[in-house]
Structures are given as C-alpha cells and as structure tokens.
C-alpha cells in the first residue's frame, strides 16, 4: 500500500498515520540493527517520523519514500552512535560492553527479528563484531542482511554506486568472518 505523497505534503494526519503503519516496522528494525537497544531504537524511530513530518516538503517527487525514510533513520542512528562515542571519551557509554570490555547482560526479552540466533552470547558477539566495522560497511550489511534491501536500493539509500555497495558488503563480510573467527577460536579454547 503506497502513501499519497500529496496528502503528506498537505499535512494530512491520516496519511502520516498510514506512512507510520506501512514503514514503521522496517524503520524500527533498521534502528534496532544499528543500535541494539530496544528503547533507543523506538525513540529513534519516533524521531524519524517527526522529522519526516516536519520536512516532507523537501521530499523529491519521483523518489521512493522508503528510501527517504531509511536515509533519515540512518542519519539519526549515526547521530546517536556519535553521541555515545563522545560520551565514551568522558566515561559514560552505553553499549554491549562495560568499561572493562565485559559483555553486559542483555534484557531477557532481547530479540531482533533480523537475526535468528538463539544464544545471546552469539548475538552479543555478532553485534560487537558488526559495531567494530566502519560505519559504511555496517550500514550496507545491516540494510542487506537485516532489511532485505537489494544492491540498488542500498545504493540509493546510501547515495553510492551499486559497485560501491558490492565492495562494502564484501569487506563487511570479510571483516565479520575475521572477527567472529577470532571470537569463536578464543571461546573454543576456553
């Protein structure tokens, strides 16, 4: 079901409710893939739709609303990550690891729809490895593996070429393999 862009631009609240209904879950899952904290992902998702409401007038006709929303979501996630990286320098960081690099306990209801890993340790290892990738690799991997976007959609969302997406995904997979191999090798010898 497509949302009427003209109704959105006219400020029709029902059209915005429909926009949130159609794209809310995908935006939330993207945010959760980038920021593995349910409350933060919910807050960022809400911020995405607030910003979309405020700036719908800047939406280009002919563009895909989903791509535009995902771009807003990625920017919000990047801002959130940068904020916590700055806080880390000041000793206040919220992440998957405490100040001694020990994994923190995830909430008992921690579940991510894009990852079919039952063991929380494996999920923590994956998120830790994913978070250690460069931002653009992490984004491409999250959009492809967790959002199911194709290369063209990712290229459009990230404002890069399709070949750049292929390269980013290749490097992300290689980086994850290396980091996860080291993790599993360490744990196998324990």
């Amino acid at each position: 079901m497509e949302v009427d862009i003209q109704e959105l631009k006219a400020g029709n609240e029902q059209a915005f409710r429909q926009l949130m209904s159609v794209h809310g879950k995908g935006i939330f899952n993207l945010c959760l893939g980038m920021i593995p904290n349910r409350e933060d992902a919910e807050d960022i998702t809400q911020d995405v739709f607030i910003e979309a409401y405020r700036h719908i007038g800047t939406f280009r006709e002919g563009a895909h609303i989903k791509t535009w929303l995902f771009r807003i979501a990625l920017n919000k996630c990047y801002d959130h990550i940068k904020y916590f990286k700055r806080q880390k320098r000041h000793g206040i960081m919220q992440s998957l690891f405490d100040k001694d690099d020990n994994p923190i306990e995830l909430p008992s209801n921690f579940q991510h729809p894009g990852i079919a890993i039952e063991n929380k340790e494996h999920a923590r290892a994956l998120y830790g490895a994913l978070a250690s990738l460069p931002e653009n690799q992490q984004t491409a991997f999250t959009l492809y593996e967790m959002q199911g976007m194709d290369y063209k959609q990712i290229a459009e969302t990230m404002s890069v070429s399709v070949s750049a997406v292929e390269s980013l995904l290749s490097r992300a997979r290689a980086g994850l393999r290396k980091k996860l191999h080291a993790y599993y090798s360490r744990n196998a010898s324990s």
Side-chain angles (χ1 to χ4, degrees):
M1 173 189 329
E2 274 303 308
V3 179
D4 186 339
I5 302 301
Q6 294 309 318
E7 289 295 319
L8 290 172
K9 287 187 174 189
N12 182 314
E13 288 184 32
Q14 182 60 34
F16 270 96
R17 279 194 214 70
Q18 183 181 5
L19 181 71
M20 290 187 302
S21 174
V22 171
H23 297 289
K25 186 175 181 180
I27 296 296
F28 172 73
N29 287 338
L30 171 64
C31 294
L32 190 58
M34 300 290 290
I35 314 289
N37 177 297
R38 185 172 201 81
E39 291 81 21
D40 289 343
E42 288 170 351
D43 289 345
I44 293 168
T45 300
Q46 184 176 19
D47 289 346
V48 167
F49 287 105
I50 290 170
E51 184 160 331
Y53 183 82
R54 289 181 180 155
H55 295 100
I56 190 65
T58 65
F59 179 73
R60 287 186 346 261
E61 294 297 324
H64 297 286
I65 192 80
K66 179 180 178 180
T67 302
W68 185 67
L69 290 170
F70 272 51
R71 197 171 296 143
I72 293 170
L74 288 172
N75 288 335
K76 295 280 183 196
C77 289
Y78 292 151
D79 290 346
H80 182 83
I81 291 166
K82 288 174 188 169
Y83 172 79
F84 279 103
K85 282 184 179 177
R86 281 192 307 270
Q87 293 302 315
K88 180 181 178 182
R89 283 182 242 144
H90 297 97
I92 307 168
M93 181 177 136
Q94 178 179 342
S95 74
L96 293 174
F97 301 92
D98 66 15
K99 63 181 169 56
D100 298 321
D101 280 339
N102 295 317
I104 61 171
E105 187 59 37
L106 292 171
S108 61
N109 64 351
F110 176 78
Q111 298 220 352
H112 187 282
I115 300 177
I117 297 176
E118 307 233 345
N119 187 320
K120 291 179 189 176
E121 273 303 309
H122 297 298
R124 250 195 295 275
L126 177 59
Y127 272 117
L130 188 57
S132 72
L133 293 176
E135 211 168 70
N136 57 357
Q137 291 177 26
Q138 181 182 359
T139 299
F141 184 84
T142 301
L143 292 173
Y144 184 75
E145 295 294 341
M146 297 178 187
Q147 291 303 313
M149 292 178 117
D150 63 31
Y151 287 14
K152 185 178 179 201
Q153 291 171 315
I154 295 168
E156 191 176 315
T157 301
M158 293 181 68
S159 300
V160 298
S161 68
V162 171
S163 60
V165 171
E166 291 170 353
S167 176
L168 289 169
L169 285 171
S170 176
R171 288 183 297 187
R173 288 180 187 119
L176 287 172
R177 267 193 301 276
K178 182 178 177 182
K179 290 172 190 312
L180 292 173
H181 177 70
Y183 169 80
Y184 287 111
S185 295
R186 232 185 2 258
N187 289 337
S189 62
S190 299

